[in-house]
Amino acid sequence: MSLNFNHVTLGQRVLFGSGKAAENLAAEVERLGARTVMVIASASEEQAARGVTAGITVALQYDDVAPHVPLEKAEKARAAAAGHHVDLIVCVGGGSTTGLAKAIALTSGLPIIAVPTTYAGSEATNVWGMTESSRKTTGVDDVVLPVTVIYDAELTLSLPAELSVASGLNALAHCVDSMWAPRADPINSALAAEGIRALCEGLPAVKADPAGLEAREQALYGAYLAAVAFSSAGSGMHHKICHVLGGAYNLPHAQTHATVLPYVLAFNAPRAPEAATRIAAAFGAADAVTGLNRLRGVLDAPKALKGFGMAEHAIGEAVELILPVIPDSNPRQVTAENLTELITAAYFGTTPGL
């Protein structure tokens, strides 16, 4: 069968090297000619951020970071950047930190250098998200894409094994969603499959030995591939579900993705046999759902949404919020009935596919 597709590759500089974050950051700040640098890092990442930024002059150190980027936090950070006449943003941390940097860039056009400490992947996408009145809004704009990403696996060593698992499964969700998202294409699928393979190799080793650097490099590499595939393919059913749940019920981002993923895979895989075969091969399993369930068992992954503060009576409202944003490209038709079944199973932690 002949190939026929459109693919966009985003332009971004990537520097990957364990123990080299400070050196690479100093070189990038000099290359960009920045003079007034704003560093965003949560209080928990302050020590890591100070080490990474030791070789540059910091005009503003900013730590008012919150999950899902509440609009009021974004506006406060924008005002701080403008008040200090910032010409470059450096964000050190996970998805929430990167998200706040993107919120500033969205209205100011300021360049971002992202230094991730988790496997969130936001650093490699042109997707932004903010929350107002318990509703999360996302959008796509090239102005929020960091000009440079600096990966240093040593910075992930402080991430506990449990959070490494959740964050890594969030990255895995990027891979799976990229197989049938609105702009899925063969290039995205190839990147996603290699991302699954790397994460499947790295995450169990991280859990077994959280201090092992090679495993964390594999996980970080896989997370980057996942984010690149996701950025090109767009947001599929899985991400639409998780963005609504996270924004509406203030659920933890990575853990929500880790919990919902197997239910979406079990839902879609029978109607997307080519994608399912490719996912299974990346897992080294006979079928996609078995491969994911096996990995989740090894990782002792999060199993139920009810453990994160969502009330059972909210399932109906969640379905009403999710249903209108499910992409038409989803391989299986989504109805209020089958979506309710999916969310209910994820809420109680029923093993999917069995």
Side-chain angles (χ1 to χ4, degrees), residues 59-100:
L60 174 60
Q61 186 83 33
Y62 197 86
D63 66 0
D64 193 2
V65 177
H68 306 296
V69 194
L71 181 59
E72 60 272 20
K73 299 282 188 184
E75 291 177 341
K76 181 180 175 184
R78 289 165 174 168
H84 284 77
H85 305 289
V86 167
D87 61 6
L88 174 67
I89 305 167
V90 174
C91 54
V92 182
S96 298
T97 304
T98 308
L100 184 61

Side-chain angles (χ1 to χ4, degrees), residues 2 5 9 31 53 58 72 75 126 154 193 198 202 280 286 296 299 306 315 323 333 338-339:
S2 63
F5 62 90
T9 299
R31 184 180 71 86
T53 60
V58 178
E72 60 272 20
E75 291 177 341
N126 58 355
E154 287 188 1
R296 285 172 50 81
L299 297 177
K306 66 179 181 180
I315 293 175
L323 197 58
Q333 184 178 4
N338 60 32
L339 183 58

